[in-house]
Structure formats: C-alpha cells, structure tokens
Amino acid sequence: MTEILVPKLNANDTSYTLVEWLVPAGTVVGAGDPVATVETSKAAEDLPSPGDGVLHHLVAVGAECAVGAAIGRLFGSAADRDRFLAPDPGAGGGPVITEPALRVMAERGISVAAVHALGRKVVRVADLAALDPAGTAPDRSEPHATGPDRSVPDVAGPEPDISGGGRRVELTAAQRAVGVVVAESHRTVPAAFVAVKVPLDTAAEHARALTREHRRLVGVPELLIAAIGSLLATHPLCFARLVAPGVVHVPGTADVGVTIDVGKGLHVPVLRAVEATPVHDLAARLMAHRMTALRGTFRAGDLTGANILLALHTDDDVTHAVPVVLPGTSCAVSLAGRQTELFPGPDGAVAQRTVVQLGLAYDHRVLNGRDALAFLRDLSAALQHPA
C-alpha cells in the first residue's frame, strides 16, 4: 500500500483545499497520472499518483488538507482494497469501516488491527474515540468545506469590543495569504527604499510604436520589465537570494514577478528569463497572466520562483509606492502613476512633460543605498532611451 501525500506547494500555506478527485475511487492508476486537484490561497494544482495501483480516497472533496497529510492510498489490487474496507469473514472476520472513519484513522495513525479489536461490525467516527490518544475523535461525517483558514496563523489577539455596532467580516483566503507574506517580509527583511523621477514621453512613444509594429499591446510596464531583465549582468545583487550571513546566490536568469490585481485578490505571476525575451513576447505573456487572473486559474508553478519583484501602481493619482521585498529576494521595483509637470525647455521656454516615479525597496543586508540608486538610474536611462 502506498499513501498519496500532500506536497508543499508554496511558501505561504500550510494547508490546502481538495477541490476535485480527478479519478474515481477503485480505479487503476499509473505513476504520474493526475489524481486530485488541490487549491492553495493563490492557485490550483493537480497532484500526481506516486505509483501504480488501485486508488482509494481518504479525504472528501471540500476538505482541508495539511501539508504531508495522506489524502488517498494505492493498493496492489482491487481485492486488497476490498479487504481493507471489509475484511474477508473467512479470514477471521472484520468490521466495515466507514469512509469518514477511515479518514480519521489516517489522520490519527489508528491501525486497522486496533479497530478490529473493538469487536464492532460497523465502525463509525464516534467508535474511534476509545482509540484516539486525545480521548476523542473529530467528527468527519461531513467534508470540512468552510471555516477558518488554518494556513494563516491567528494573530488577531483579543476579540475587539464591537458593542457600538458594525459587523464582523472575514478576509478572503487570498488576502490572508498576502498578509502572511507581508508580515514575514517585515519580520525578516531589513528593507530600505529609494526613488527617482523619470521622464516618460520617449518610452510612451516607443511603446506605441511597438504596439503598431507587432499588433500586440505594449506599454511602459512591459518596457520596464525588459529593462529590469537587461540589468541582470551589471547589477547581479539586485536579483540575488541571501542563503547565509554574508553569502548570496546569484541566479542565471532574470525571473520577474509582476503584481496583478483584477479585483479577485493580489497575484504575482512570474515572467521567466526576461533578459532573453523580446518586449512584444513579454507583453503577450503578461496579457495571458492577466486573463488567467480574471479566470482565477493560476497554477502554483505560475506564481513561484521570482528573483525580483515589479509592483505596478499605475493609476494616475498614485504619486509614489513603496513595495514589499518578497522573502527570498533582495529587491522590489515599484512603478507609480503618470504625472504631468512643467520644466524649462532647451530654448528657455516653459515646456510640459510626463514623468513617473520609479521606486526600489531593497534588502540592506545585500545592497547599500549607492548600489540601489545606481540600479534605479540605469532603469531610468533604459526607459528614456528604450530603442
């Protein structure tokens, strides 16, 4: 017998929700076949079978599954599974164990032999209380589809006084996951912030020209992503990961995480190998991520592996934005909204131009302010001379 265990799928969650069994119980499956889909706070992921065998479900759809928990089992044959569910009376007899009771047995490590010793013909969840180390067994007669999200630690403190009215609103799982990442960032990353003002008219015109040429919507964010990737060789520490005190790992590719929020929670999909990708292809990939965010169908692989972050706050009334350095990265770039300003032109006359603030939050253990400012100035130069 082989157990199907829930793997660790991201850095934020400690449990996931089983949203679908892809294969009915009792079906023969092969190693690597997708058998179940679990949902994290950000994405859905198919779990493969760890081997060949006859599939048995231990967890119902809608249940919360902790990392490392068994959600199913593989038996060598259908007969083996049948004997597990209802042992052969001719071989000494045995009880019929209900599916909820089987799940509790798997969670609490209660053996089949111990259940047989109860002497019951049918074993239900309530019958397991005598075998549970804590003295009681949880009720699993219905799937655990609702309730608190145990992937996020309870840090709310004492219940606030709401006697003056109002109502209690539970945040979405996606927002609670964002809270975990932000709290971890503030707890572990000694971040600093610096910003520069960048004239944008040349970049905007170049983006319009690329849009016409490639018939694909290219904007300033896409130009900025490409500029970030182009600086991997000259500013490697901006892409580095701190692996020990005073030691970093510098990646071989620029994998840029870009914030996307279309009203269904904040997502940070990753554009990989940006330094080797043309701008119009980056635009196509970013648009595909936006459509995926609208559908809510990100996979865990879409959201992991960034080595630098770009936070987009491009509404025109946003003057500046301080991004969060993701744990495991050293830098986060922010792009604020466009502003119009007057400036003295070459002939002394007053002229008008569009500017934007470009910000950089950085891990002070890896970079100093001089390094951060040099990186921002090179990004600024790339936007002002995008061709």
Side-chain angles (χ1 to χ4, degrees), residues 143-357:
H144 181 72
T146 61
D149 178 4
R150 290 176 176 80
S151 66
V152 180
D154 181 9
V155 294
E159 189 74 17
D161 180 11
I162 57 173
S163 56
R167 61 194 179 98
R168 181 188 179 97
V169 178
E170 292 216 5
L171 298 175
T172 64
Q175 183 56 41
R176 283 180 282 180
V178 169
V180 170
V181 174
V182 172
E184 179 69 8
S185 175
H186 287 309
R187 186 180 69 84
T188 60
V189 180
F193 178 73
V194 64
V196 297
K197 183 169 63 176
V198 183
L200 210 60
D201 294 299
T202 302
E205 179 54 40
H206 187 65
R208 287 191 289 269
L210 288 175
T211 298
R212 292 191 296 269
E213 178 182 353
H214 296 284
R215 299 181 179 274
R216 196 171 284 169
L217 183 60
V218 178
V220 172
E222 287 79 5
L223 294 181
L224 180 56
I225 293 168
I228 291 172
S230 72
L231 297 180
L232 172 62
T234 53
H235 296 275
L237 291 182
C238 293
F239 301 82
R241 176 187 180 94
L242 189 69
V243 294
V247 180
V248 297
H249 171 262
V250 176
T253 59
D255 301 327
V256 182
V258 183
T259 61
I260 294 177
D261 191 342
V262 293
K264 297 186 177 182
L266 177 66
H267 298 86
V268 188
V270 181
L271 298 174
R272 305 186 193 280
V274 166
E275 78 289 346
T277 307
V279 176
H280 57 277
D281 286 343
L282 290 175
R285 288 160 57 184
L286 189 58
M287 181 57 71
H289 282 319
R290 292 189 181 109
M291 298 307 296
T292 301
L294 284 169
R295 295 190 298 267
T297 55
F298 278 115
R299 298 289 181 177
D302 298 328
L303 305 170
T304 56
N307 48 45
I308 193 170
L309 171 71
L310 171 60
L312 299 176
H313 300 273
T314 52
D315 292 329
D316 286 343
D317 55 350
V318 177
T319 58
H320 75 282
V322 181
V324 172
V325 179
L326 295 178
T329 67
S330 295
C331 287
V333 180
S334 64
L335 179 67
R338 302 185 188 196
Q339 309 291 319
T340 300
E341 70 171 19
L342 300 178
F343 73 104
D347 57 357
V350 175
Q352 180 175 289
R353 67 181 179 183
T354 301
V355 298
V356 69
Q357 189 192 74

Side-chain angles (χ1 to χ4, degrees), residues 27-42:
T27 303
V28 176
V29 297
D33 290 348
V35 293
T37 301
V38 296
E39 186 175 63
T40 73
S41 59
K42 294 288 188 181

Side-chain angles (χ1 to χ4, degrees), residues 369-385:
R370 183 182 182 88
D371 307 315
L373 188 55
F375 179 67
L376 273 186
R377 284 172 172 161
D378 284 350
L379 282 181
S380 173
L383 286 180
Q384 293 182 68
H385 306 282

Side-chain angles (χ1 to χ4, degrees), residues 95-180:
V96 173
I97 307 173
T98 66
E99 289 280 345
L102 286 171
R103 294 197 295 273
V104 172
M105 289 169 61
E107 292 174 5
R108 299 302 178 97
I110 299 173
S111 68
V112 175
V115 172
H116 289 186
L118 291 173
R120 298 182 180 275
K121 293 183 178 180
V122 178
V123 176
R124 298 179 174 85
V125 170
D127 300 321
L128 301 177
L131 304 176
D132 185 30
T136 58
D139 181 8
R140 293 293 190 269
S141 57
E142 294 294 334
H144 181 72
T146 61
D149 178 4
R150 290 176 176 80
S151 66
V152 180
D154 181 9
V155 294
E159 189 74 17
D161 180 11
I162 57 173
S163 56
R167 61 194 179 98
R168 181 188 179 97
V169 178
E170 292 216 5
L171 298 175
T172 64
Q175 183 56 41
R176 283 180 282 180
V178 169
V180 170

